[in-house]
Amino acid sequence: MTSPAARTALDLTADLPVPDLERFYRDLHRHPELSLREHRTAGKLAGRLRAAGFETAEGVGGTGVAGVLRNGDGPVVLLRADMDALPVKEETGLPYASRTDGLMHACGHDLHVTWLAGAAAALAAGRETWSGTLLAVGQPAEETGQGARRMVEDGLYECFPRPDVLLGQHAAPGPAGLYPHAPGLIMSASTDVDIVVHGRGGHGSRPESTVDPVVTAAYLVTRLQSVVSRELAAREPAVLTVGRIGAGTRHNIIPSEARIALNLRTQSEAVRERMLAAIRRIARGECLAAGCPREPEVTVGGTFPVMVNDADTDRRVAAVHGEVFGAGTVFDPGAAMGSEDFPQLAVGSIPYSYWFVTTTPAEVWERAPGDELMDKLQRVPSNHSPHFAPDLATVAPGVRTLVSGALTFLSVA
């Protein structure tokens, strides 16, 4: 038997304006904007929300958008889409590729905004079928981990109704048509770490008169690879990535310092603290061994929290998605090592459900080497790849996931 939420969602999304939504998506994709600079994107989303009848505000937390549709008594449901792009040079070859050199929607946030705009319009058009309050949020700066916190600090829940539940979703690699859910831990914490190695600069012809920070940094990068493999138990998921290393200005100048940027992914605070302690110890040790004139500077920077779905909330949404999309389309993939700032919207322990929508085009998936799901996942363009290009066939399903998710909690007539 199909639930009222699933039946109503199918009715409200039966005649979606797909060509219009696809045009909207292409336009957003052509014009990517970096974190906290999403002015055009925010304006486009705000215009769609106003046209659908939402009371809408812009500039929340910098460039955020919030629209509210009050529709009688019932729960307050927040639907969220992030809006920022990445400093990635697009290599998809798409006719609607980015027109801004060096910037690209390489993580699917343009698709998220399209899904939110479509869902908001569909729910507004069918408001006679449900009651409650819908809060649509276009969030800036997810990629830098600032946006959710900034919107909350700017009074999101003072200016708009405080939600009873939060719902969000993310485009992901995988054969289009799957909706992975995890009723618990679904994404990991992320921590940025910066290290400055201090040396003593000089002429490249006289290295004996210097303390070369480049050589020390190279040893440090190599030694850091042992933190996960030799200091953590195999059962403890963790990743340490050196994302950037920089030093020097010319071929024949030994610089006075080198800089290293790290990123950690962890699923427990104990593992995170253990990794940070190891990084500090290894940095001090390598610099001492090299005779550096000063201890290294180790600075912990931006962080993302772990994302833990409320189990009951997520199971309810997953059940409705199973009804809407059919058996086998919803499954538990386990926790990912990726990170999100979505939990920062859950101030005061607001329950939330966050899930994935697979978006790899069928022809790309079929061409990928391998016979098993995981083999193919390693071979298709993933988020943050310059080749990441979601299938436009996922525009309507992504709207439907949000509509059905919202109707799971709104009072359906």
Side-chain angles (χ1 to χ4, degrees):
M1 180 179 295
T2 306
S3 66
R7 287 197 302 271
T8 304
L10 289 168
D11 288 343
L12 296 187
T13 59
D15 296 309
L16 290 173
V18 173
D20 172 65
L21 290 171
E22 289 180 348
R23 284 191 295 272
F24 183 53
Y25 167 74
R26 291 188 187 100
D27 178 69
L28 295 176
H29 190 86
R30 288 189 187 101
H31 299 95
E33 297 171 299
L34 290 177
S35 302
L36 298 176
R37 302 179 191 175
E38 310 95 330
H39 301 286
R40 184 182 186 277
T41 306
K44 292 285 185 178
L45 175 60
R48 293 256 169 170
L49 293 177
R50 289 192 184 100
F54 285 70
E55 302 169 34
T56 305
E58 297 180 64
V60 184
T63 46
V65 177
V68 63
L69 183 65
R70 296 177 173 88
N71 192 36
D73 295 333
V76 179
V77 177
L78 183 150
L79 301 180
R80 174 268 206 173
D82 37 11
M83 304 186 295
D84 49 335
L86 287 161
V88 172
K89 182 176 178 62
E90 183 160 358
E91 298 177 14
T92 62
L94 292 168
Y96 52 89
S98 170
R99 294 179 179 174
T100 305
D101 189 46
L103 300 187
M104 177 193 173
H105 268 296
C107 202
H109 296 184
D110 47 351
L111 191 54
H112 301 176
V113 173
T114 303
W115 286 336
L116 178 62
L123 285 161
R127 70 187 76 182
E128 74 281 355
T129 65
W130 59 272
S131 62
T133 297
L134 191 64
L135 181 57
V137 170
Q139 184 206 299
E142 184 279 328
E143 295 291 352
T144 60
Q146 300 172 281
R149 174 180 51 79
R150 287 175 64 112
M151 291 192 79
V152 170
E153 291 176 350
D154 199 26
L156 177 64
Y157 298 150
E158 284 78 49
C159 300
F160 295 89
R162 180 182 174 82
D164 296 299
V165 66
L166 313 176
L167 302 178
Q169 61 184 11
H170 205 298
L178 300 176
Y179 308 92
H181 276 263
L185 179 67
I186 186 168
M187 298 187 81
S188 304
S190 172
T191 306
D192 290 337
V193 181
D194 291 287
I195 303 174
V196 181
V197 176
H198 298 285
R200 187 167 61 246
H203 201 288
S205 66
R206 299 184 65 238
E208 74 280 2
S209 67
T210 72
V211 177
D212 192 337
V214 176
V215 174
T216 304
Y219 278 117
L220 180 52
V221 168
T222 302
R223 182 61 181 264
L224 287 171
Q225 304 311 307
S226 68
V227 171
V228 174
S229 67
R230 290 296 175 269
E231 302 206 26
L232 300 179
R235 65 180 179 277
E236 296 175 322
V239 175
L240 187 156
T241 297
V242 177
R244 187 174 66 240
I245 181 169
T249 57
R250 293 190 60 179
H251 299 69
N252 64 345
I253 298 175
I254 294 174
S256 59
E257 67 178 33
R259 294 176 177 267
I260 305 169
L262 314 177
N263 179 258
L264 314 182
R265 301 296 169 120
T266 55
Q267 294 180 357
S268 79
E269 184 61 23
V271 168
R272 177 179 178 271
E273 289 301 325
R274 201 179 315 154
M275 292 179 72
L276 290 173
I279 290 166
R280 293 187 178 101
R281 187 193 72 242
I282 290 170
R284 285 195 302 269
E286 290 294 345
C287 289
L288 179 64
C292 292
R294 291 169 53 191
E295 285 199 351
E297 299 172 40
V298 180
T299 305
V300 178
T303 61
F304 291 76
V306 292
M307 185 187 295
V308 183
N309 279 330
D310 177 72
D312 179 65
T313 300
D314 189 68
R315 288 191 187 102
R316 290 176 64 184
V317 178
V320 170
H321 286 168
E323 292 179 307
V324 169
F325 296 104
T329 60
V330 177
F331 64 97
D332 184 350
M337 295 310 296
S339 303
E340 253 276 4
D341 72 344
F342 180 72
Q344 293 178 343
L345 292 173
V347 291
S349 301
I350 301 171
Y352 60 80
S353 172
Y354 190 92
W355 62 90
F356 297 105
V357 178
T358 57
T359 59
T360 302
E363 62 276 13
V364 174
W365 185 258
E366 291 301 322
R367 286 200 307 267
D371 298 320
E372 301 296 327
L373 177 68
M374 296 308 298
D375 292 337
K376 285 181 171 288
L377 278 175
Q378 302 301 319
R379 307 298 181 89
V380 297
S382 65
N383 306 76
H384 293 213
S385 163
H387 301 283
F388 187 68
D391 193 341
L392 287 182
T394 62
V395 167
V399 171
R400 201 164 286 125
T401 50
L402 286 179
V403 170
S404 56
L407 291 170
T408 303
F409 301 98
L410 295 167
S411 300
V412 178

